[in-house]
Amino acid sequence: MSPVTAEDEFLIALTTVRATYGTGSIGENDLKDIVATEESRVADAAVLAELISSRLAAAQPSAATVESSSTTHTTDQTAPSLHTPIPFPSSGSTPQLSIADLIDGMLTQEKRDVRTSPKY
Amino acid sequence: MSTSAAADKTPPTSTALPQPTATPVKPVKTASKTVLAGFDLGTNKSCILAGPAGTNDITLSKVIPSVVGYVKEGIVDGIIAGNATVLFGEDALANSLHVDLIAPIAEGVIAHPHATRDFFQRVRSLIDPANQAEIRIVVGIPANADETAREDIRQCALGIFDRILLIPEPFLAALGFRDDTRVGQPGYVDPVTNALFIDIGGGTSDLCRVQGYFPSREDQICIPFAGDAIDEILHNELNRLYPNNGLSRHKVREIKEANCYVGPVRKPIDVRVIIGGKAHMLELGEALGRAANTLIDKIYPSLTALISRASSDSVVTLLQNIIVTGGGSQVKGIDTVLQKRLTDDGFESPKVRLAGQDYKRYVAMGALKAARAARENQWQYLLR
């Protein structure tokens, strides 16, 4: 059985309210306002998480501590959680793929494209 | 009310633009601090993330509608706050009655250079309100942006930002989506190592295979069909079904964003609109589905083409990592429909996923990561 999503819960609540108080009790505009407000809150929370996460990551004493804090991750094995710090690479980090090397690849490719592009 | 230094100036004409330099030249100004920025310059919405160099701080995270509003002649004093002559983003849209709205970008490339320069100026003022820092900015560009499109961006950035790097958007989306805290952990598949990104924006849909090296031209496909094209189809359909409805393209986009889906027809989808001052309920189930399913028809051949070009060693993992991002990822059912079509066509256990609710920020996030990782000699100087 698939888990109940926030969207499902919202629809169930909406159906309940409309069944109890009539279909006109919550109009389309009210719904849009609610959705817009909640989207705005989520966006604000995401921004706040971004602002705080780098400070939290910087305050982590060791990799082991980071590991133990990962229990808040969602079940999705690849998507970054909004509640998880997303530290950006610094000179101290050792990502498996160097972004600078990837940029080098891009710049080399660009130079090759410029050399091989037809001249008018 | 947002205004910028540009608000007090007449927009420069494109012929008045200063000339950029292709070869590195030291900037005239010596700034005491450097701010790094990642910029997703979108057709409809742009996102900017920025923070001081040498730190992990993010001091600015903002999504702005990519629109500039030039206040019309004859507007009475006080109607526009501060009597600004140029408005940006939400402020421009909120005052649409009193401004000429210009979208700087069309189909992912610069359509109006002077509006773009004003927009860049606004972005700069957000990044560095005191106008004292050196700004190094990584700008996301469509996968197929040619040298002319790149040069247009450099021209518009000239004198506003100090150094620039232009990087294709789907690759930046992959960098932004990558969870750096989990790279190397068991069970975590690094999207930069082997994934296929489908970034559906306003002007273009960009597909990109990211397999541990910088994607070559063969790894990327850009289709000039995305959110705006769906808006147009839907608008035409609305005009056919409900003539003289008077709905603006902006309103049509709102309807699309709230209700759009792909897959089998969903009916009824009743949408309340105001026409001629009166409320009407329009049934748009079929129209919405028809418009959005066109997107699937457009991107699916490119998706299968990129999959078929992958090596036999990498393709199975690649099929497990197809990620839809951008505004198009909000079209209901897009992951399910793409995955089903791939399965029906015999592809081995494909898994199509949505990037998630932070989709608006992944390109900018990747751009900021790139800005922080770029070597000194990788930046291109812009003459101030």
Side-chain angles (χ1 to χ4, degrees), chain B residues 29-34 124 128-135 384:
Chain B
K29 178 180 159 185
T30 306
S32 58
K33 74 170 186 177
T34 300
R124 186 190 162 104
D128 176 33
N131 195 27
Q132 289 180 337
E134 175 184 301
I135 308 292
R384 187 181 280 272

Side-chain angles (χ1 to χ4, degrees), chain B residues 9-22 28 110 113-114 116-118 120-121 150-161 381-384:
Chain B
K9 297 173 185 170
T10 304
T13 62
S14 55
T15 52
L17 292 178
Q19 295 301 302
T21 176
V28 174
I110 289 175
H114 56 266
T116 306
R117 277 186 66 77
D118 285 345
F120 281 4
Q121 191 69 57
R150 289 160 181 267
E151 190 57 23
D152 285 348
I153 294 175
R154 289 188 202 108
Q155 289 267 359
C156 289
L158 203 62
I160 298 172
F161 305 116
Y381 285 90
L382 293 163
L383 263 184
R384 187 181 280 272

Side-chain angles (χ1 to χ4, degrees), chain B residues 53-132:
Chain B
T55 74
N56 282 333
D57 291 349
I58 298 178
T59 50
L60 174 70
S61 172
K62 196 168 179 62
V63 176
I64 321 166
S66 306
V67 65
V68 182
Y70 294 99
V71 176
K72 294 173 181 172
E73 293 287 326
I75 298 294
V76 177
D77 278 3
I79 295 289
I80 305 292
N83 291 324
T85 54
V86 187
L87 303 177
F88 302 92
E90 301 285 2
D91 292 333
L93 294 173
N95 288 278
S96 58
L97 193 61
H98 306 302
V99 300
D100 292 320
L101 288 174
I102 305 286
I105 310 296
E107 294 187 358
V109 298
I110 289 175
H112 295 280
H114 56 266
T116 306
R117 277 186 66 77
D118 285 345
F119 194 63
F120 281 4
Q121 191 69 57
R122 169 66 179 155
V123 168
R124 186 190 162 104
S125 71
L126 290 170
I127 298 170
D128 176 33
N131 195 27
Q132 289 180 337

Side-chain angles (χ1 to χ4, degrees), chain B residues 225-227 229-242 256 259-267 269 283-299 331-332 337 341:
Chain B
F225 187 99
I230 297 177
D231 295 344
E232 188 176 349
I233 293 173
L234 183 59
H235 207 168
N236 291 340
E237 190 79 347
L238 274 166
N239 288 337
R240 187 180 67 79
L241 293 170
Y242 305 99
K256 176 199 72 177
N259 302 285
C260 207
Y261 71 93
V262 289
V265 171
R266 302 180 187 185
K267 286 178 83 170
I269 296 178
E283 200 292 299
L284 298 178
E286 245 182 275
L288 284 159
R290 199 164 23 235
N293 278 313
T294 312
L295 176 69
I296 297 288
D297 295 336
K298 295 279 184 185
I299 64 176
V331 175
K332 295 176 185 72
V337 167
R341 279 188 76 165

Side-chain angles (χ1 to χ4, degrees), chain A residues 29 42 47 50-51 54 73 77-80 82 85 87-88 97 99-102 104 106 109-110 113, chain B residues 56 58 61 150 166 177 180-182 188 213-217 272 353 357 361 365 369 372-373 375 378:
Chain A
N29 287 338
V42 169
V47 170
E50 283 166 13
L51 291 168
S54 58
H73 289 167
Q77 288 298 299
T78 51
L82 284 173
F88 291 90
L97 286 166
I99 295 174
D101 288 344
L102 291 165
D104 262 344
M106 178 191 81
Q109 192 175 298
E110 276 178 18
D113 288 348
Chain B
N56 282 333
I58 298 178
S61 172
R150 289 160 181 267
L166 307 178
F177 185 71
D180 298 301
T181 61
R182 298 172 66 194
Y188 181 73
Y213 56 89
F214 190 81
S216 67
R217 293 213 176 274
R272 184 176 181 271
R353 288 173 298 125
Q357 57 190 338
R361 286 183 167 81
M365 220 180 272
K369 287 183 184 183
R372 288 185 161 157
R375 297 187 187 107
Q378 291 176 329

